[in-house]
């Protein structure tokens, strides 16, 4: 619009590199290519990372069997990598990020606060490995990115008949993977060609030795804090020696990996079966209750699927009834009335979604601690913990208000759980501050005795409603967290809406610290036999606690 086509071409190209499937931007690029005054070199990536650009060039020349050019660009890539690494690590040195914590409620003593902050900084620095290996448009970062430079270089130097450098790069690569059979064979060959007398004194690169030593020291501290303090850490490298990880933690991680793989496989199978049911009209009357018991994350005794993707006019959507009994719903509502506080879970924001409603919440960890202190029934807190089924993020929420006629706003505007919805452009951008790691979402309702508050799905325009679900006790709505499922909550015009919001991730790097602490607290409070017994017991019949509703509490 400002008649600056060259800058427009560069901006369009930059966006398209990160979003290669964006059809509208593809058309814009074709339009700019046909414009007079726009040159080919105007189509540049404005957000290109120098070390990645040099690395890609080096790999390209390597595959084209031009070893001299490959060496030039790969060595430049290494220099730029360490410049970017130093900058990334420096940016980690900042104030403590409270993440899901309300800083007013963070009451750690001096030593715990120092530990939390230092471990957060170290974890951030280790995360630079992933940050520097991530490329726009790629779903996953390059695996073993830094070591791979030396894999390419050792062979490029060999093809360039520079055996001293080939040996240096091979030995450097073996710092990370000492048991790599092929690289050991290459090293033996280079040594034989050059001669043992000349090859023996050649050492791995000093800067890589220092890098590896520093990284291992940081990992040892992080794994120790994970093992002792329960502060989660996911190693970004595959080359870390096993002895760095405490034995107890190794066994735990093995179980977690197996569980994650099993859940991922089950969810994949579940989604395939749902799509099959949608496509095959002959199976419309299939027994969905049997289907849900065969796998997937929403497995509860007595639960049954009452709506599937087809009846909800979308994909990867499901409504499950009977997740909780009526008495269990009442017990969790009593827990809410006794334990919830305004703004809990939204960093103290009492009206995070609409000024017409006040949000009350209680996290699982808080409920368990109150149960431990005798302020709420411990069995009720455990029921809350148990019903969430190992979720990563979870919160019980209530919207409380008097009768409100003529409201035009929603309780929660239409949004997508793992990307930023731009309804006008019909796109959803998967980048922070969105919770991009969320894979599946669910809402478990504890009541239905209020007016309004219906859950609904829309198209990407946030206006075209595709399905609506009325809340009721024990009903769960499950759906994938991506752009295929924009959703919102209509205004509650009278009464109190109580629900448990759940988000699931298959990425262990985003393990919720509060959940880890809640798991540890449950293990401390209950033996395995007690936990089994609590799951079998019926909730006690207690009179419901009164819910105080402020007259103009908006």
């Amino acid at each position: 619009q400002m008649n600056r086509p060259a800058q427009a071409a560069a901006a369009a190209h930059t966006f398209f590199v990160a979003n290669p499937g964006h059809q509208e931007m593809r058309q814009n690029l074709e339009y700019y290519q046909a414009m007079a005054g726009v040159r080919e070199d105007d189509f540049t990536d404005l957000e290109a990372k120098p070390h990645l650009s040099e690395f890609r060039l080096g790999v390209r020349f390597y595959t084209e069997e031009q070893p001299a050019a490959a060496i030039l660009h790969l060595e430049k890539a290494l220099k730029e990598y360490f410049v970017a690494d130093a900058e990334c690590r420096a940016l980690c040195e900042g104030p403590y990020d409270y993440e899901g914590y309300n800083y007013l409620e963070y009451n750690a003593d001096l030593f715990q606060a120092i530990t939390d902050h230092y471990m957060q900084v170290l974890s951030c620095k280790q995360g630079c490995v992933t940050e520097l290996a991530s490329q726009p448009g790629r779903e996953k970062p390059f695996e073993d990115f830094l070591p791979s430079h030396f894999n390419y270089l050792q062979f490029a130097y060999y093809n360039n008949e520079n055996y001293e450098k080939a040996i240096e790069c091979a030995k450097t690569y073996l710092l990370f993977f000492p048991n790599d059979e092929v690289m050991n064979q290459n090293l033996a060959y280079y040594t034989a060609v050059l001669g043992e007398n000349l090859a023996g004194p050649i050492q791995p690169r000093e800067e890589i030795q220092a890098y590896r030593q520093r990284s291992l020291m940081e990992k040892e501290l992080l794994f120790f804090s994970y093992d002792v303090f329960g502060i989660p850490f996911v190693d970004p490298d595959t080359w870390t020696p096993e002895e760095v990880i405490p034995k107890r933690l190794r066994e735990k991680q093995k179980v977690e990996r197996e569980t994650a793989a099993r859940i991922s496989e089950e969810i994949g199978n579940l989604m395939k079966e749902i799509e099959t049911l949608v496509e095959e009209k002959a199976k419309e009357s299939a027994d969905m209750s049997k289907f849900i018991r065969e796998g997937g994350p929403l497995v509860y005794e007595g639960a049954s699927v009452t709506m599937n993707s087809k009846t909800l006019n979308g994909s990867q959507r499901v409504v499950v009834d009977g997740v909780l009994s009526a008495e269990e719903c009442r017990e969790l509502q009593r827990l809410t009335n006794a334990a919830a506080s305004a703004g809990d879970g939204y960093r103290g924001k009492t009206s995070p979604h609409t000024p017409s409603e006040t949000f009350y919440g209680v996290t699982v960890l808080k409920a368990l601690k109150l149960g431990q202190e005798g302020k709420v029934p411990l069995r009720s807190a455990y029921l809350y913990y148990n019903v969430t089924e190992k979720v990563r993020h979870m919160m019980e929420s209530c919207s409380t208000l008097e009768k409100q006629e003529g409201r035009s706003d929603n309780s929660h505007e239409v949004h997508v759980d793992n990307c930023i919805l731009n309804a006008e452009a019909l796109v959803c951008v998967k980048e922070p501050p969105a919770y991009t790691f969320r894979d599946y979402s669910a809402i478990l309702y504890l009541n239905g005795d209020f007016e309004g508050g219906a859950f609904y799905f829309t198209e990407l325009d946030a206006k075209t409603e595709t399905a609506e679900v009325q809340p009721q006790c024990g009903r769960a709505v499950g759906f994938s967290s991506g752009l295929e499922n924009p959703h919102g909550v209509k205004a509650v015009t009278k009464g109190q809406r109580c629900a448990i919001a759940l988000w699931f991730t298959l990425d262990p790097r985003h393990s919720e610290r509060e959940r880890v602490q809640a798991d540890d607290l449950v293990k401390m409070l209950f033996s395995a036999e007690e936990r089994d017994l609590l799951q079998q017991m019926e909730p006690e019949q207690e009179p419901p606690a009164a819910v105080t509703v402020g007259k103009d509490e908006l």
Side-chain angles (χ1 to χ4, degrees):
Q1 290 182 341
M2 297 177 66
N3 197 28
R4 297 166 65 181
Q7 288 87 342
H13 178 76
T14 301
F15 180 86
F16 191 70
V17 168
N19 304 273
H22 199 282
Q23 294 302 315
E24 183 180 353
M25 197 57 66
R26 182 188 294 273
Q27 293 171 2
N28 289 350
L29 284 170
E30 292 173 354
Y31 174 75
Y32 294 139
Q33 287 170 349
M35 287 184 69
V38 178
R39 300 171 302 175
E40 184 177 347
D41 56 5
D42 288 331
F43 295 89
T44 57
D45 185 357
L46 301 175
E47 295 184 353
K49 300 176 182 178
H51 69 281
L52 280 173
S53 300
E54 294 292 345
F55 177 76
R56 288 195 297 269
L57 280 172
V59 172
R60 192 187 82 187
F61 285 120
Y62 176 89
T63 55
E64 293 175 357
E65 297 184 357
Q66 299 183 47
I71 290 168
L72 176 67
H73 289 288
L74 288 170
E75 292 288 7
K76 283 184 179 180
L78 280 170
K79 290 180 181 179
E80 294 292 348
Y81 180 92
F82 284 107
V83 171
D85 182 62
E87 181 181 353
C88 179
R89 291 173 64 86
L91 291 173
C92 292
E93 300 279 359
Y96 182 68
D97 183 358
Y98 291 88
E99 298 173 343
Y101 289 85
N102 183 331
Y103 72 96
L104 294 173
E105 295 183 2
Y106 184 71
N107 57 359
D109 60 28
L110 176 62
F111 293 107
Q112 182 182 344
I114 292 172
T115 301
D116 288 345
H117 193 179
Y118 187 53
M119 290 304 109
Q120 188 178 82
V121 170
L122 285 187
S123 184
C124 174
K125 289 182 176 181
Q126 283 287 305
C128 290
V129 172
T130 303
E131 175 69 24
L132 270 59
S134 299
Q135 176 183 335
R138 279 181 64 100
E139 289 186 5
K140 296 181 179 180
F142 290 104
E143 190 174 72
D144 304 320
F145 182 57
L146 180 59
S148 68
H149 286 69
F150 297 98
N151 190 13
Y152 287 113
L153 280 169
Q154 58 90 22
F155 203 69
Y157 276 120
Y158 161 71
N159 285 328
N160 211 35
E161 298 185 354
N162 189 336
Y163 293 101
E164 290 87 352
K165 283 290 186 180
I167 291 172
E168 179 191 61
C169 291
K171 288 186 176 181
T172 303
Y173 182 86
L174 289 171
L175 286 175
F176 299 102
F177 301 102
N179 298 319
D180 188 286
E181 185 176 350
V182 173
M183 191 61 70
N184 277 298
Q185 289 175 355
N186 289 353
L187 178 60
Y189 175 77
Y190 303 150
T191 301
V193 172
L194 188 63
E196 184 66 41
N197 293 338
L198 295 175
I202 298 175
Q203 296 298 315
R205 296 194 180 182
E206 290 185 4
E207 67 270 24
I208 302 301
Q209 294 185 60
Y211 171 91
R212 178 180 178 275
Q213 184 63 25
R214 181 189 66 189
S215 182
L216 288 178
M217 291 174 66
E218 292 176 350
K219 292 178 196 293
E220 286 180 0
L221 286 170
L222 286 162
F223 280 125
F224 176 81
S225 69
Y226 191 2
D227 187 35
V228 177
F229 303 122
I231 301 175
F233 168 63
V234 178
D235 191 353
D237 295 310
T238 64
W239 55 263
T240 304
E242 193 175 71
E243 58 268 18
V244 172
I245 308 172
K247 183 178 180 182
R248 181 173 59 177
L249 198 55
R250 287 202 303 268
E251 295 171 353
K252 180 181 178 182
Q253 288 182 331
K254 181 181 178 182
V255 172
E256 288 177 348
R257 284 194 298 270
E258 293 173 350
T259 302
R262 177 180 55 79
I263 291 175
S264 180
E265 182 181 1
E266 289 179 357
I267 291 176
N269 293 336
L270 176 63
M271 291 301 108
K272 288 179 183 177
E273 292 187 26
I274 289 177
E275 294 304 324
T276 300
L277 288 171
V278 172
E279 293 171 2
E280 298 179 9
K281 293 183 178 180
K283 294 183 179 181
E284 287 181 359
S285 60
D287 183 1
M288 293 299 290
S289 296
K290 177 177 181 293
F291 168 67
I292 196 66
R293 287 196 296 270
E294 290 176 349
L298 299 175
V299 180
Y300 293 89
E301 185 66 29
S304 61
V305 174
T306 54
M307 301 177 77
N308 62 12
S309 294
K310 185 169 186 176
T311 54
L312 290 169
N313 302 314
S315 65
Q316 302 192 56
R317 302 173 180 176
V318 66
V319 174
V320 184
D321 284 342
V323 176
L324 293 173
S325 69
E327 182 53 39
E328 286 173 329
C329 287
R330 287 193 289 271
E331 183 168 0
L332 288 174
Q333 287 185 73
R334 290 195 291 268
L335 176 66
T336 300
N337 297 328
S341 58
D344 188 18
Y346 277 91
R347 298 193 176 186
K349 296 179 181 179
T350 56
S351 299
H353 303 310
T354 168
S356 301
E357 297 176 8
T358 299
F359 174 94
Y360 290 89
V362 57
T363 62
V364 171
L365 181 60
K366 180 180 177 181
L368 285 168
K369 286 182 175 179
L370 291 173
Q372 184 184 20
E373 296 167 2
K375 296 179 180 179
V376 299
L378 188 55
R379 188 182 60 254
S380 300
Y382 183 73
L383 172 63
Y384 183 20
Y385 169 87
N386 187 56
V387 78
T388 57
E389 291 286 339
K390 305 274 186 189
V391 297
R392 298 287 186 256
H393 280 82
M394 164 182 29
M395 197 172 298
E396 187 177 36
S397 60
C398 295
S399 299
T400 307
L401 53 143
E402 289 290 303
K403 182 74 173 180
Q404 302 180 82
E405 300 290 355
R407 276 184 58 187
S408 59
D409 63 334
N410 286 329
S411 282
H412 201 164
E413 294 299 336
V414 173
H415 62 284
V416 178
D417 282 348
N418 71 6
C419 54
I420 302 171
L421 178 61
N422 184 336
E424 293 183 0
L426 300 180
V427 297
C428 202
V429 182
K430 199 167 183 179
E431 62 181 30
Y435 297 98
T436 57
F437 50 84
R438 290 177 177 174
D439 295 306
Y440 292 90
S441 306
I443 300 290
L444 177 57
Y445 291 106
L446 305 182
N447 70 326
D449 55 347
F450 53 88
E451 295 181 14
F455 180 93
Y456 66 104
F457 292 103
T458 73
E459 299 286 0
L460 269 178
D461 61 7
K463 297 177 182 177
T464 307
E465 188 174 320
T466 59
E468 180 178 295
V469 180
Q470 292 296 330
Q472 69 179 45
C473 162
R475 169 169 286 178
V477 184
F479 50 95
S480 57
S481 303
L483 56 82
E484 65 277 4
N485 283 319
H487 58 280
V489 180
K490 294 184 178 180
V492 178
T493 55
K494 185 178 182 181
Q496 180 188 56
R497 180 178 69 89
C498 292
I500 299 176
L502 309 100
W503 296 276
F504 302 85
T505 178
L506 299 176
D507 189 344
R509 290 176 296 178
H510 295 283
S511 174
E512 185 187 23
R513 181 177 178 182
E514 273 211 9
R515 184 69 201 191
V516 174
Q517 292 175 322
D519 291 339
D520 292 340
L521 186 55
V522 165
K523 291 175 183 176
M524 182 182 76
L525 293 174
F526 307 101
S527 66
E529 293 77 11
E530 288 173 329
R531 293 198 293 270
D532 292 339
L533 183 61
L534 281 170
Q535 291 183 43
Q536 297 168 10
M537 289 175 61
E538 290 293 327
E540 290 182 0
Q541 299 291 331
E542 299 178 11
V547 177
T548 304
V549 181
K551 186 156 188 177
D552 293 314
E553 195 173 38
L554 303 179

